[in-house]
Amino acid sequence: ILLLNRMDDVLKQDFGLFFDVNNKLRALDPEVQKDSAELSEGCKDFLDKFTDFNEVVASWINSVSKLSEEIEKTKTKAIGQQNLLKSMGKERELKKQQLLDMIQEKKRQKARIDETIEALKREEQAQDAFIKRFKDQQ
């Protein structure tokens, strides 16, 4: 056993070789190999969690993207409705102005007709007076 311990020390110091618990010759110190395995397992766990995180983020981005598209559609529809309302308002104002202009024109026509009626009444009275004088002279 002493010889094996001495040989174990020589292999460690001179060649950097080690015996594991199963007495297999290894190039790495069993402690370093154990730490390396733990680190590897920790890295695997981290990568699994990171992959899960990426999936959650991708899902969230997809949801936000869909929501953004819906918002854009709604926004475009709302802008269209606003433009339609503005257009209808302008049409209503134009129609109102046309009706006011028509009312003014009708008022002017009525005034001309009223003047014509008054002139015709005066003419009628003058003719009636003329006829009466003519009859009175005969």
Side-chain angles (χ1 to χ4, degrees):
I1 293 181
L2 197 53
L3 181 60
L4 286 177
N5 282 341
R6 172 77 181 118
M7 198 165 85
D8 190 33
D9 290 338
V10 168
L11 285 174
K12 282 183 192 175
Q13 291 175 355
D14 294 343
F15 301 106
L17 298 174
F18 303 90
F19 285 103
D20 65 7
V21 292
N22 298 325
N23 289 324
K24 289 187 178 180
L25 190 61
R26 302 284 181 190
L28 283 177
D29 183 357
E31 288 296 318
V32 172
Q33 187 173 3
K34 178 184 167 194
D35 292 344
S36 177
E38 288 174 2
L39 180 60
S40 177
E41 187 64 31
C43 288
K44 184 182 177 298
D45 290 344
F46 173 78
L47 286 175
D48 289 343
K49 288 178 183 179
F50 190 74
T51 301
D52 292 344
F53 174 75
N54 277 341
E55 290 173 2
V56 168
V57 168
S59 173
W60 185 79
I61 288 173
N62 189 28
S63 296
V64 169
S65 178
K66 286 180 182 177
L67 183 61
S68 172
E69 290 172 7
E70 285 297 317
I71 288 170
E72 279 301 314
K73 286 179 186 176
T74 304
K75 181 178 159 185
T76 302
K77 187 176 179 181
I79 289 171
Q81 293 295 327
Q82 284 178 337
N83 290 340
L84 181 62
L85 285 174
K86 286 178 185 177
S87 174
M88 289 172 65
K90 287 179 182 178
E91 284 181 30
R92 192 174 302 131
E93 279 297 316
L94 181 62
K95 185 71 172 172
K96 179 181 175 183
Q97 189 59 46
Q98 289 173 342
L99 290 173
L100 288 174
D101 290 345
M102 189 184 303
I103 289 170
Q104 290 300 321
E105 180 60 31
K106 295 297 180 185
K107 283 181 180 179
R108 286 191 291 272
Q109 285 178 354
K110 181 186 179 297
R112 284 192 299 268
I113 290 172
D114 286 345
E115 288 175 11
T116 303
I117 289 173
E118 285 298 318
L120 289 173
K121 282 181 182 179
R122 284 192 302 272
E123 183 67 28
E124 181 184 22
Q125 286 174 354
Q127 287 178 0
D128 284 345
F130 177 75
I131 291 173
K132 186 176 179 183
R133 273 184 292 172
F134 183 70
K135 280 185 182 182
D136 288 342
Q137 285 179 351
Q138 284 186 4

